Amino acid sequence: MGEIVSYSIVDGIALVRIDNPPVNAMERKVRAGLKTVFTELKSKKGVTAIVLGCEGRTFVAGADIKEFDTGIGEPGFHEVFRLIEDSKVPVVAAIHGTALGAGTEVALSCHYRVADKGARIGLPELSLGIIPGAGGTQRLPRVVGLETALDMMITGKPLTADAAKNEGLVDIVVSGNVMDGAVAFARDLVAKGVETRSTRAREVKGADNAAAILEAKRKQIAKTMRNRRSPMALIDAVKAAVELPFDQGLKVETDISEELVGATESRALRHLFFAEREVRKIPGISADIKARPVARVGIVGAGTMGGGIAMNFANVGIPVTLVEANQANLDRGFATIRKNYERSVSRGSLKAEQMEERMGLLTPSLDYAALGEADLIIEAVFENMALKKEIFQKLDRVARAGAVLGTNTSTLDIDAIAAVTGRPQDVVGLHFFSPANVMQLLEIVHGAKTAPDVLVTALDMAKTIRKIGVVSKVCYGFIGNRMMDPYAREAERCVLEGATPEEVDSALEDFGMAMGILAVFDLAGVDIGHLTRLERGPLLPKDPSYYRCSALLTERKWIGQKTGRGYYRYDSADRKRTPDPEVIELFRAEAARLGVAQRKPSRKEIQERCIYGMINEGALLLEEGIALRAGDIDVVYAAGYGFPRYRGGPMFYADTVGLKNVYERILEFRKELDPQYWTPAPLLEKLALAGSTFAAWDKSRG
Ligand code: T1G
């Protein structure tokens, strides 16, 4: 590998290259290298223009996020970017891959920008709980205008090269080698005697209507980014760009950035950033183990889950054969898939021809033999052990040697399913979340006999279909649903004790959960959870009040949105939930029958019982080795269960509260509530008494 920053001069054009794999992060060494090079070029004779580009797969994809934990070293961003902006000869950025964060900001400090056709350019800092801190809040509005700049920074969504051109962020879009394109563009500037174009000297476009625009964005954020500090702080920084001279605005940006970097919100989101990459690393599985090819997929069951799963593969161009028991199910399944695609077309997120292309990759069949060529077969039928075993026996007969056999079970014993085949090493759990074509999480269940390359194949496949694959060992409910049990149990119990469903759900939504668990039950179907629990039979706790509310509703077929009532009533077209006095009366009567003392658990108590129950179960999963890392659990909950990302996931959240506090509160619940549910997990107790954290526990295991 060459120097981290180097340059050469060709006929008066200086070509500056950054080479810092894997993503050319703008870490201190890169900034120091740029400072050295641009200082040298300042006094270099015969240099008529400068082109700044990167080696490898992408232009600068941001600051080095790790550097936020240690502090931004010298030289800082502003000093280096000022050096570039103050160049006496035109500086042209040559952008390929994903220019993000400080990558976009260094490009904004250049005078002109040339982008490769496939390039993406954005400022995703809010997804890390920070704001652009290298001049982006001040320079971007001067280039693309106030409104576009705010939208880019609020959504964090990168623009395509063409869209960036339309917005004036990029001057030209080229195909082929972007460095060559940028050099040609620079030569043309020189030939035409075009001057430098300092971004900070430019006016903020659209500033005349600033007050209204900023107010509208504040309102938008207040609704869509509740409980967060960084989005509102972003508006403050951009307001400074409108109202203050550049350097004063930059000072406002810097002060805000420094405050946000140390805050829990950003630490939580940075934790998730790295945890989502760490989940791919499975201790004991060496990097040399190669994935098996997955070019053809088979799915058994074309219901809601099977159809959604099939769409994931069609969306990335992989053909799928869908097998069903009868023609009616097959037709219904394909009709649902087409309806889902039509919705995307009507929303403009998919072209009609793309829909047809994807439908064309889906083949219906009533014959298992049609799965004979598949590299991966996923069973996605309803949750019944006998039926799943029957299907795996059939798959064992028809699937080609070396095919990976996956089951979409959400709770059942993978090893028992694998045991009915002659190839348990090829069997793996692939637990998708509904709607399967939307939810990002994929729990990959590592059976006792699952071969290492099957695990690697599942992890690779997850990345291919744009899912986050998290590995879990076999237990009831794996990671997600296992921890969901105490969380939802306590929510139901609070209702039985006297809280209303609305009080429980709004307490959880205040905490930041995407939706209260009782409303989730109504959405998914109250009966689903109830029937799945019944499958456990003798393993259920000896407690007549255990999930008693769901049982009562299921017995009356008040199973949620699909029947217009469940914990709530859903009368209106917009499916808005409204309290149901009859249901509350039903729960009161049942509480009296069970002798449950009536009281009003506070919002805080509701939150603590539900979340701490979940955390305690998470600690059990870690010491049982079901979950590999506390970080993995956080990824499962943030990607699959609507846990607020700005809290970092349940285990990270526990660390922010302090494990000692969580531990002591659980001991109090043990005294006040049903003790069978409130035994602190030994790992939680050990870490709490040692003043340690789950993060330290993860680190200690390397
Ligand atoms: N800092 C440190 N490490 C990074 C990194 C970054 N910005 N980006 C990626 N990595 C590591 C990552 O952990 C992984 O490591 C490897 O690179 C490959 O990444 C001042 C404040 C660019 C779209 O938010 O979105 O600039 O696991 O697996 O799927 O205003 O990485 O192999 O050891 O994700 O091809 C803003 C973050 C920063 C972009 C590539 N930038 N990166 O995706 O590869 S804040 C971002 C990404 C900032 C300034 C501010 C993606 C990617 P390992 P990967 P990928």
Side-chain angles (χ1 to χ4, degrees):
M1 187 173 85
E3 281 179 271
I4 202 164
V5 181
S6 61
Y7 76 94
S8 55
I9 299 176
V10 181
D11 303 336
I13 307 289
L15 284 73
V16 179
R17 286 185 173 81
I18 297 171
D19 187 5
N20 185 28
V23 295
N24 288 310
M26 177 75 69
E27 60 179 286
R28 197 199 65 72
K29 282 185 290 185
V30 173
R31 296 193 303 271
L34 285 171
K35 179 177 177 182
T36 307
V37 165
F38 275 85
T39 306
E40 261 178 47
L41 288 174
K42 233 166 131 178
S43 54
K44 202 98 188 156
K45 296 251 173 306
V47 173
T48 54
I50 301 170
V51 170
L52 172 62
C54 294
E55 299 292 354
R57 62 182 164 135
T58 180
F59 190 76
V60 176
D64 181 346
I65 301 169
K66 292 194 199 73
E67 207 180 347
F68 294 127
D69 297 332
T70 53
I72 303 293
E74 291 304 320
F77 295 102
H78 300 322
E79 178 190 352
V80 175
F81 292 7
R82 174 68 57 94
L83 203 54
I84 295 171
E85 193 170 48
D86 289 352
S87 162
K88 294 289 174 276
V89 298
V91 181
V92 179
I95 302 169
H96 73 294
T98 48
L100 301 171
T104 299
E105 291 169 297
V106 72
L108 284 166
S109 69
C110 298
H111 305 138
Y112 301 94
R113 285 155 290 278
V114 172
D116 164 67
K117 197 141 195 50
R120 297 276 179 282
I121 306 167
L123 290 170
E125 280 83 349
L126 280 189
S127 68
L128 297 167
I130 50 181
I131 64 171
T137 66
Q138 307 303 305
R139 289 194 172 92
L140 188 64
R142 286 171 161 81
V143 174
V144 300
L146 183 60
E147 186 121 29
T148 302
L150 281 164
D151 289 341
M152 283 183 69
M153 292 186 274
I154 291 171
T155 64
K157 262 217 210 86
L159 295 184
T160 63
D162 291 335
K165 171 91 174 52
N166 297 341
E167 297 292 349
L169 179 54
V170 153
D171 297 281
I172 62 166
V173 175
V174 297
S175 306
N177 181 300
V178 70
M179 276 303 259
D180 296 348
V183 169
F185 180 82
R187 287 204 189 291
D188 193 43
L189 289 178
V190 174
K192 293 187 180 126
V194 177
E195 297 295 314
T196 61
R197 183 180 64 176
S198 161
T199 305
R200 75 170 184 276
R202 296 165 72 170
E203 293 301 314
V204 172
K205 291 191 283 186
D208 44 352
N209 191 16
I213 293 171
L214 292 167
E215 193 42 37
K217 299 302 175 191
R218 281 190 201 285
K219 285 208 174 78
Q220 174 195 333
I221 285 170
K223 259 201 256 126
T224 58
M225 296 178 166
R226 287 181 320 128
N227 292 355
R228 296 195 54 190
R229 165 90 182 94
S230 56
M232 283 300 177
L234 172 70
I235 306 290
D236 298 339
V238 176
K239 185 167 180 288
V242 173
E243 297 173 351
L244 300 173
F246 183 86
D247 290 333
Q248 291 172 37
L250 203 58
K251 177 80 176 62
V252 171
E253 177 194 283
T254 305
D255 294 347
I256 290 174
S257 295
E258 281 163 7
E259 179 221 324
L260 292 174
V261 158
T264 304
E265 175 188 332
S266 181
R267 287 190 303 108
L269 290 162
R270 295 193 321 255
H271 159 71
L272 279 174
F273 176 86
F274 289 112
E276 281 165 354
R277 282 145 185 88
E278 203 62 19
V279 290
R280 298 181 212 141
K281 300 165 187 159
I282 313 302
I285 300 231
S286 85
D288 320 335
I289 294 181
K290 292 287 167 268
R292 299 181 189 177
V294 176
R296 296 191 65 77
V297 170
I299 296 179
V300 179
T304 312
M305 290 306 290
I309 296 169
M311 291 173 73
N312 290 308
F313 292 97
N315 294 352
V316 294
I318 296 176
V320 181
T321 301
L322 274 136
V323 170
E324 255 292 353
N326 60 57
Q327 195 58 44
N329 286 2
L330 213 44
D331 297 345
R332 193 178 322 112
F334 271 69
T336 305
I337 294 172
R338 178 170 285 280
K339 215 170 72 213
N340 285 338
Y341 278 133
E342 281 166 352
R343 197 176 304 126
S344 303
V345 171
S346 64
R347 286 203 197 120
S349 58
L350 189 70
K351 296 197 181 75
E353 57 272 19
Q354 288 174 308
M355 171 175 70
E356 293 313 330
E357 234 174 72
R358 293 174 188 191
M359 290 304 294
L361 288 167
L362 304 176
T363 307
S365 175
L366 297 175
D367 183 359
Y368 272 75
L371 302 171
E373 298 306 308
D375 305 311
L376 164 67
I377 305 171
I378 304 174
E379 161 275 312
V381 302
F382 70 89
E383 198 73 341
N384 176 280
M385 183 57 103
L387 176 60
K388 290 184 189 279
K389 284 182 173 176
E390 187 196 322
I391 288 170
F392 270 76
Q393 283 164 329
K394 284 187 191 154
L395 292 180
D396 196 21
R397 285 194 294 275
V398 299
R400 71 165 178 73
V404 172
L405 306 180
T407 167
N408 180 50
T409 179
S410 58
T411 56
L412 299 174
D413 183 348
I414 307 288
D415 296 328
I417 293 172
V420 302
T421 73
R423 52 175 108 184
Q425 74 283 0
D426 298 335
V427 176
V428 65
L430 296 173
H431 177 208
F432 289 81
F433 288 74
S434 183
N437 56 313
V438 177
M439 294 299 285
Q440 264 216 307
L441 180 65
L442 173 62
E443 264 185 333
I444 296 171
V445 186
H446 185 174
K449 298 215 171 111
T450 303
D453 69 332
V454 168
L455 216 52
V456 171
T457 305
L459 283 160
D460 269 28
M461 176 273 288
K463 191 162 186 192
T464 304
I465 60 173
R466 306 191 193 109
K467 301 288 183 196
I468 301 176
V470 180
V471 173
S472 169
K473 285 280 179 62
V474 175
C475 74
Y476 177 82
F478 317 131
I479 296 174
N481 287 347
R482 164 106 176 249
M483 289 169 66
M484 217 356 90
D485 182 68
Y487 170 76
R489 179 200 68 223
E490 288 305 310
E492 280 219 12
R493 179 70 196 197
C494 288
V495 169
L496 218 48
E497 289 172 17
T500 65
E502 187 55 47
E503 284 164 349
V504 169
D505 278 345
S506 60
L508 296 174
E509 286 155 10
D510 266 7
F511 176 83
M513 298 303 285
M515 184 188 271
I517 187 60
L518 305 174
V520 171
F521 281 170
D522 276 358
L523 181 67
V526 178
D527 55 329
I528 305 289
H530 178 64
L531 297 172
T532 307
R533 271 185 297 278
L534 285 187
E535 281 258 337
R536 303 194 66 199
L539 296 171
L540 291 174
K542 304 281 172 285
D543 168 12
S545 75
Y546 180 76
Y547 283 93
R548 193 63 198 132
C549 298
S550 290
L552 288 168
L553 294 173
T554 306
E555 285 154 15
R556 284 162 183 70
K557 301 213 174 342
W558 300 351
I559 54 176
Q561 293 198 16
K562 51 190 172 189
T563 54
R565 65 181 307 182
Y567 281 92
Y568 304 94
R569 275 193 174 279
Y570 301 89
D571 300 332
S572 54
D574 65 1
R575 300 213 148 297
K576 199 162 171 317
R577 71 188 195 209
T578 53
D580 183 344
E582 196 179 347
V583 161
I584 292 169
E585 201 29 58
L586 173 70
F587 295 154
R588 294 289 146 270
E590 184 66 6
R593 188 182 71 77
L594 291 167
V596 175
Q598 294 303 286
R599 50 189 290 270
K600 273 282 184 201
S602 68
R603 295 176 88 72
K604 189 161 184 304
E605 179 186 337
I606 292 168
Q607 291 169 350
E608 288 178 336
R609 283 169 65 170
C610 296
I611 305 290
Y612 290 5
M614 177 197 278
I615 292 166
N616 197 45
E617 199 69 26
L620 290 172
L621 285 169
L622 291 174
E623 58 203 334
E624 291 167 19
I626 302 293
L628 288 166
R629 290 161 285 243
D632 289 22
I633 294 177
D634 290 333
V635 171
V636 164
Y637 264 76
Y641 290 81
F643 195 96
R645 293 184 65 83
Y646 57 83
R647 292 191 189 278
M651 310 315 274
F652 183 91
Y653 173 68
D655 283 351
T656 60
V657 172
L659 297 189
K660 193 131 186 320
N661 299 326
V662 175
Y663 170 67
E664 284 165 0
R665 191 70 176 111
I666 289 175
L667 290 177
E668 283 168 13
F669 288 148
R670 185 173 174 73
K671 281 202 217 88
E672 297 158 9
L673 307 169
D674 185 336
Q676 72 173 304
Y677 296 130
W678 292 106
T679 303
L683 175 64
L684 174 63
E685 182 168 50
K686 192 178 88 188
L687 295 173
L689 299 178
S692 185
T693 64
F694 288 122
W697 187 81
D698 272 358
K699 227 186 182 133
S700 70
R701 297 158 56 82

